[in-house]
Amino acid sequence: MQERETKFELLKGDKVLWSVILLISFFSVFPVYSASSNLEYIVNSGTTTSHLIKHSFFVMLGLAIMRAVGWFKYEHIGKLSSYLLTFTIALLGLTMVSGQTIDGASASRWLKIPGTPISFQPSSFAYLMLVIYLCRYLTKKIKRERLPIENIFYIFGPVLIVFGLVAKDNGSTALMILMVSLIVMLMGQLDKKYILGFVGLSSVMIGVFMFLALKTDLIENNRVHTWMSRVETFTKKESQVEDEADKAKNYQVMQAKAAIVHGGIAGMGPGKSALKQMLPQSASDFIFAIIVEEYGFMGATVLIALYLIMIIRIVMIASKMPAFFGSLLVLSLGTMIFVQLSVNIAVAVNLIPVTGQPLPLISYGGTSMLVTYIQLGIILNVSSRIQVYDEEGMGKKQSIEEINDIA
């Protein structure tokens, strides 16, 4: 009996959420193995077997990290967030100077660890640390009237610094950082006048960035022209796409739509995608289109249902958590996952312009996958503490003293 309880405790936290994570993680191996042939034959990078081994390694590593996060109190993670955010901001600055491209990507978003073949995206870690930092700061100061200079320095400053450093090479992630940060501020009960101030300041900064990128040479090798081209291509109707240049710009979207249509109701079967070789980034940014082609509308519906269960469980965990910091942190991390998931699927079905956002837990690529596992590890960490708080007799609502003490 004791042995059984020990094994069960390996899945510490919400068991339904654990089950969904394990199912999606296991499933991810199949579409990645199929779509990675694009990397072998088109990008001339590795073999399908090597990509399968690499992806499987990151899945196992991610699951291990997710479980390891449960060994620490989530409050301590919050306290460390300001230091970790400072460190990741420094890495973003280094990436601007010596960033690299990998696996056919066109943006210099990766930083190579010296002396190793390992590369990672600092922007993903900076994004995560920023959200955790905001949750802690907003909890710590929830009811105290802040001076405007405090909000500018401690809230607006970090967000806009991270945005500015990320925007040059990763516009979609930079916009997501602003959007999710705004949502965190709203959930963290920041005064509405400061919310409006943040929106105004962000709009000004976006305008200044666009002007400098388009009209001057101060921001070299930026991707603003690429973004503008993608938006222009997206807004054009298919009947307006006539010349070869327009068709080339619309190539990814056309191939993704063709893959989705080709899949039909039941799909072509695992590994039988006919368009994976013609769809750029088929193993990462456009992997949802390959999933629909191979597993059909029915398979895609099951996958989306699993993601919805994940989001619902995250909301339920946040609603049950009596500690405000824990509740805000779970909702904020869940928002990050939901926004990334929505953007990836929306791009695949041509609802929004093309971006470079991976499908959580499935897309090929180590950094984004590991960050998602860390997010889910923190959420599971918080869920495992709910029972502890109940046993300690903590009520559903905390006093201001309790709220200010936990973060």
Side-chain angles (χ1 to χ4, degrees):
M1 185 66 178
Q2 182 65 35
E3 182 181 356
R4 182 180 177 184
E5 289 178 356
T6 302
K7 288 183 179 179
F8 188 70
E9 194 61 18
L10 288 175
L11 304 184
K12 188 177 181 181
D14 187 273
K15 302 304 182 290
V16 175
L17 183 55
W18 259 107
S19 300
V20 171
I21 294 169
L22 290 173
L23 283 171
I24 296 176
S25 299
F26 175 74
F27 169 74
S28 71
V29 173
F30 299 99
V32 166
Y33 179 59
S34 174
S36 63
S37 60
N38 176 278
L39 295 173
E40 178 180 1
Y41 298 112
I42 306 302
V43 186
N44 295 320
S45 172
T47 64
T48 52
T49 302
S50 66
H51 292 305
L52 172 64
I53 293 172
K54 182 179 177 181
H55 178 77
S56 299
F57 168 76
F58 278 114
V59 169
M60 299 305 296
L61 178 61
L63 290 171
I65 291 175
M66 184 174 71
R67 181 60 186 87
V69 170
W71 296 340
F72 306 93
K73 287 188 175 181
Y74 70 88
E75 296 95 334
H76 295 165
I77 298 174
K79 290 177 181 179
L80 289 172
S81 61
S82 58
Y83 303 104
L84 294 173
L85 176 61
T86 302
F87 177 68
T88 54
I89 286 176
L91 291 179
L92 286 176
L94 185 60
T95 305
M96 290 186 69
V97 177
S98 57
Q100 298 180 339
T101 62
I102 62 172
D103 291 338
S106 57
S108 303
R109 304 170 185 169
W110 287 264
L111 195 63
K112 187 175 181 179
I113 299 177
T116 72
I118 301 173
S119 299
F120 67 99
Q121 287 193 67
S123 59
S124 297
F125 290 104
Y127 181 17
L128 173 61
M129 290 303 118
L130 176 65
V131 169
I132 297 174
Y133 164 81
L134 288 176
C135 290
R136 179 179 185 266
Y137 184 82
L138 290 169
T139 302
K140 192 74 175 176
K141 308 291 184 180
I142 187 171
K143 289 297 182 183
R144 187 175 70 78
E145 182 64 27
R146 304 180 188 86
L147 297 174
I149 191 64
E150 287 184 276
N151 287 325
I152 293 173
F153 188 80
Y154 292 109
I155 301 179
F156 300 172
V159 175
L160 295 178
I161 288 172
V162 173
F163 166 81
L165 292 173
V166 172
K168 173 179 173 290
D169 291 306
N170 200 340
S172 59
T173 297
L175 290 177
M176 285 168 58
I177 287 171
L178 289 182
M179 181 172 65
V180 172
S181 297
L182 178 60
I183 295 173
V184 173
M185 292 177 201
L186 288 168
M187 294 189 299
Q189 302 180 24
L190 183 63
D191 193 293
K192 289 184 175 59
K193 63 183 178 183
Y194 294 122
I195 297 290
L196 294 174
F198 175 76
V199 172
L201 191 59
S202 299
S203 300
V204 170
M205 187 165 181
I206 292 173
V208 171
F209 176 82
M210 295 291 285
F211 175 81
L212 293 176
L214 292 172
K215 302 297 183 180
T216 72
D217 296 325
L218 295 177
I219 305 178
E220 297 180 353
N221 301 319
N222 66 80
R223 290 171 51 80
V224 175
H225 291 286
T226 301
W227 310 337
M228 300 287 285
S229 176
R230 287 177 175 178
V231 172
E232 181 184 353
T233 301
F234 175 76
T235 55
K236 278 189 177 183
K237 297 179 180 179
E238 290 190 13
S239 58
Q240 296 176 311
V241 180
E242 296 177 351
D243 58 48
E244 293 301 320
D246 284 340
K247 288 181 180 179
K249 293 177 182 178
N250 209 35
Y251 180 78
Q252 292 183 94
V253 174
M254 292 172 63
Q255 296 300 321
K257 289 167 68 176
I260 291 173
V261 172
H262 191 222
I265 300 297
M268 305 305 296
K272 296 181 179 179
S273 166
L275 294 164
K276 59 190 177 186
Q277 305 293 5
M278 294 176 280
L279 179 57
Q281 304 298 325
S282 60
S284 52
D285 300 345
F286 283 92
I287 198 166
F288 183 75
I290 302 302
I291 291 172
V292 178
E293 184 183 10
E294 294 189 348
Y295 299 90
F297 175 78
M298 294 173 62
T301 300
V302 172
L303 178 61
I304 292 174
L306 288 174
Y307 278 123
L308 287 178
I309 293 172
M310 176 189 292
I311 300 301
I312 290 170
R313 294 305 297 185
I314 290 173
V315 173
M316 290 176 65
I317 291 168
S319 66
K320 292 178 181 179
M321 185 62 186
F324 183 81
F325 174 58
S327 180
L328 177 61
L329 184 60
V330 168
L331 283 177
S332 300
L333 296 177
T335 299
M336 292 176 67
I337 295 171
F338 176 76
V339 170
Q340 182 180 332
L341 165 69
S342 302
V343 169
N344 179 276
I345 295 177
V347 168
V349 298
N350 198 29
L351 289 178
I352 62 174
V354 173
T355 67
Q357 295 303 316
L359 189 62
L361 299 180
I362 292 184
S363 289
Y364 181 78
T367 304
S368 177
M369 177 172 284
L370 293 182
V371 167
T372 302
Y373 278 117
I374 294 172
Q375 293 169 332
L376 292 168
I378 295 173
I379 293 170
L380 287 167
N381 184 322
V382 175
S383 73
S384 69
R385 298 287 298 283
I386 293 174
Q387 183 178 354
V388 175
Y389 282 129
D390 289 342
E391 291 172 354
E392 292 176 351
M394 183 181 286
K396 276 294 180 185
K397 293 184 179 180
Q398 295 173 286
S399 66
I400 298 302
E401 290 75 19
E402 288 173 324
I403 289 174
N404 288 338
D405 183 60
I406 59 93

